[in-house]
Each structure stands twice: as structure tokens, then as C-alpha cells.
Amino acid sequence: MRQREVVTVLATALVVALLPGTGAAHDVRVRRPLRVPDIAGYRTLQCDFHAHTVFSDGSVWPDVRAEEAWREGLDAIAIADHIEYQPHKDDLPTNHERPYEIARLHGDRLGLLVIRGSEVTRKMPPGHVNAIFLKSVTPLDTPDWREALRVAREQGAFAFWNHPGWRGQQPDGVSRWYPEHTEIVEAGLIQGIEVVNGREYYPEAHRWSLERRLAPLASSDAHAPLDLDYRLHEGDHRPVTLVLARERSEEGIREALFAGRTAAWSGDLLVGREEHLRPLIEAAITLENPRLRIAAGEGAWLRIRNDSDLRLELSGAGPTGRLTAPESVVVAAMGTSLLEIRAPKEAPTGTVRLELAYTISNLKVAPDTGLRFPVVVDVEVLPARK
Ligand SMILES: [Zn+2]
Ligand SMILES: [Zn+2]
């Protein structure tokens, strides 16, 4: 190509790129899910069941919620505007059904599941409760919160206690369980609890989710556009609830939520029950060379591949018998990390099975308990090289 042609082509490309609705826009509207494996029998769906719009105290129109969630790679969202708190109602008349209808229309175009929900917004106790899979939000607009939760249950809703340690209601940030919570759990009026809301993790809520068999959830509780609160273009992401569903559908998600097959993912933290976290990690991690040969006085590297966007912080192994392994190691997201095992000069030759008793500290199966993650490797120690 001659130089003048090159200049013309570049100029044309630049003009096309700058035109609204052409090349530039297509580069922006891209879906990029977090990478996390499916497990046997289940799809691992990424969901956010708690976000606001201008119909309560949010600052985005509902279709924007669907668009941003689709771009972030979510499978499903619920719009959960406050029933009792509508600071924009002089500009936008009360209509409890509209935020869902608007978001749903756009979600349908993109293949994003949009679920009808609302936030029952009461003082503590019981605090704020989201009800999702509602047939209609309007009947929940009633003075008695017990009545609102009963109506939700009659509609077949899944309900969960929001942000139990929110400083707006608990100034010290500590979540407290009140008799009203025992009452609504025992009456079957809530089936889940936010263990993460925004950037906050509530250890007490995590413990209650285990003791009371409430599904642990992570929600954005977004009010602003998502990329004002999260550095989405720098690898940051909103908190998501991982839902282990038999199928990618509203009914699939509903069944999984009532069965409690969820985990809460926020930043580098994944919170849930061991029975759900373990298969996710086993599906994500591969030891590429589980048999090592090491000459006495030298070291070798075990290669740990991680096919997920979860960065794993392993700790707690350290020296084991005659061989040594690091006390802690980080397994990078979507990559292969090296774990060095060393044989001292005086190590006897022969094969030994090494069981490195690591714990993944950022995968919490209880408030102060990481997921045990033994790394097993067969090591053949060879005579020292001359
Ligand atoms: Zn709330
Ligand atoms: Zn909220």
C-alpha cells in the first residue's frame, strides 16, 4: 500500500471510530463475565439481587441496570427499590412495578434474567428485607411489616435480610440478632441473608447463615452507576452471589436459592458453606506436575494452575519432614503459579508422598475459618549432583 493510501485508510478509520453508534460503540458494549467453573450437575451463575434505580433512592434509570449487569457478565439481577423510601417521588410518581418492567424489557433483549423484587425498608428489628420473585410489588406497600412479608411469601417470593451490620441501623457496625429474626425465620418468611453488602462482610451474618441454614448472599446494593463505585476497567467487580443452579433460568435460580446453594463473592473474598466452595475450587485448580524429582540439595517447582478469577491465598504448610515448602503462597487468578519444594543435602533418596496442609484463607467456610486445601505431591529424591 502506498503512503497516501495508508494515510487515507487511517483517516477513514479514525472518523468511523469517532462516529456515535459505529465502531467505538461496539467496542464498549462487550460482555465480560468473571471466570468461575461450573461444578458437577450445576451451572455456576453470577447474580446480584439488590440494586436500586431512580424509582427509589438510586440515580440510574432501570434499563441501565440491565445493560451494566450484562456487560459485567452477570446472569441475573433483581431490581429491589425501596417501597417506603422514594426521595424522587415529586419528580417521578410512585409506581412499584415500573422499575422491574423497564429493566426486564432491556434484559430480555440482551439475554439477561431480570427478576421482580423490592426492598421492605423498616427500622431494626427486623431492618431491611428484600423479597424477589414477586408477582406484584404493590400489595407489599402496607404499614405492618409482618403483613408485607406474609404477602411476599404468599406470592412464592424468596426473601432475605439485607446488610445486618449496616451502620445506618447499627452504628458500631456489629450485626445483632433480635427475637423478630427468630420469628421470621421460624415462620418461613426469610430464607437468605446478605453476608456481604457492597464492600462489607458481616462475620456474624455468615455464622447465622450456617446455623439457621439461610442462603448466604452478596449484593451490590448499588445506588449509583456501577462504574462510579467499582473500578470495572481495572479488574475490580461488584459483589456477586454465585448460584449453583440446575439450569440458567428464573426457575433454576429460585430452586437453588431455596435449597441454599449459593456463595458470596466480593473482591478476593468468597464466603459460603464448605460443601459448595470445595467443588468450585477443585474444578478451578489443576496440579500440572504432581510428581516431582528433586536432587538432594536442590529444589523444584510444583505448577498450580487456576482457571478462575479467584486469587487464592494459601497459608499454613511450611516444613514437612525432610522436605520444605513455603509457609504461604498466592495462586494467581487465571494463571499458573509456582510452589517451590526443596530437598536438603542430607535428604534420603527415594519417593515420598508429601501432603501440604494448606488453608485458603480468603475462602471462608465460617467466620474465622478458611477452606482446608491439602496439596498432595509425590516427590522422588535423587542423589545429590556432583
Ligand atoms: Zn437497605
Ligand atoms: Zn438497598
Side-chain angles (χ1 to χ4, degrees), residues 50 52 57 80 82 119-122 127-130 162-163 166 169 194 197 221 223:
H50 188 170
H52 294 276
D57 57 346
H82 300 285
E119 183 163 9
V120 178
T121 312
R122 306 301 172 107
H128 298 187
V129 173
N130 269 13
N162 296 339
H163 47 69
W166 175 47
Q169 290 185 326
E194 283 182 352
N197 178 284
D221 200 357
H223 289 73

Side-chain angles (χ1 to χ4, degrees), residues 62-106:
D63 64 348
V64 175
R65 286 283 174 240
E67 176 82 21
E68 62 192 7
W70 177 81
R71 291 191 195 183
E72 290 171 62
L74 269 66
D75 294 287
I77 58 165
I79 303 292
D81 275 315
H82 300 285
I83 294 176
E84 300 84 351
Y85 182 55
Q86 294 165 48
H88 306 147
K89 69 178 166 207
D90 290 343
D91 298 308
L92 194 62
T94 296
N95 187 332
H96 296 309
E97 314 299 336
R98 280 305 279 160
Y100 162 78
E101 290 167 1
I102 296 166
R104 172 70 193 255
L105 189 67
H106 195 58

Side-chain angles (χ1 to χ4, degrees), residues 227-350:
D227 63 0
L228 294 191
D229 288 340
Y230 298 89
R231 301 180 310 277
L232 298 180
H233 300 288
E234 298 167 35
D236 193 14
H237 66 88
R238 77 166 89 189
V240 291
T241 298
L242 298 182
V243 176
L244 304 174
R246 295 207 172 98
E247 56 175 42
R248 187 186 184 278
S249 68
E250 251 192 74
E251 190 41 47
I253 292 171
R254 217 182 93 88
E255 187 277 332
L257 287 177
F258 275 99
R261 291 196 308 273
T262 61
W265 184 0
S266 174
D268 288 335
L269 187 67
L270 184 67
V271 175
R273 301 185 88 86
E274 178 166 0
E275 66 195 269
H276 302 132
L277 268 47
R278 184 166 300 287
L280 281 170
I281 287 313
E282 284 175 354
I285 295 295
T286 305
L287 301 183
E288 291 184 339
N289 54 339
R291 298 182 62 83
L292 293 176
R293 304 176 85 195
I294 311 177
E298 298 183 22
W301 290 277
L302 177 67
R303 300 191 300 271
I304 307 179
R305 193 179 80 230
N306 178 1
D307 296 313
S308 82
D309 273 320
L310 265 167
R311 176 180 181 272
L312 307 174
E313 296 165 10
L314 275 54
S315 61
T320 153
R322 291 295 187 90
L323 304 173
T324 61
E327 198 280 323
S328 64
V329 65
V330 170
V331 177
M334 289 305 293
T336 301
S337 293
L338 298 174
L339 190 154
E340 186 177 30
I341 295 168
R342 294 198 64 84
K345 264 214 169 69
E346 65 281 12
T349 57

Side-chain angles (χ1 to χ4, degrees), residues 147-179:
E147 176 63 14
L149 297 186
R150 274 195 294 270
V151 169
R153 188 187 56 184
E154 281 160 21
Q155 292 190 15
F158 174 87
F160 55 96
W161 181 10
N162 296 339
H163 47 69
W166 175 47
R167 286 173 192 274
Q169 290 185 326
Q170 303 285 12
D172 58 3
V174 176
S175 313
R176 288 182 183 77
W177 185 275
Y178 293 87

Side-chain angles (χ1 to χ4, degrees), residues 339-363:
L339 190 154
E340 186 177 30
I341 295 168
R342 294 198 64 84
K345 264 214 169 69
E346 65 281 12
T349 57
T351 300
V352 286
R353 171 153 290 189
L354 203 57
E355 192 162 327
L356 304 171
Y358 286 110
T359 294
I360 308 177
S361 56
N362 60 316
L363 266 56

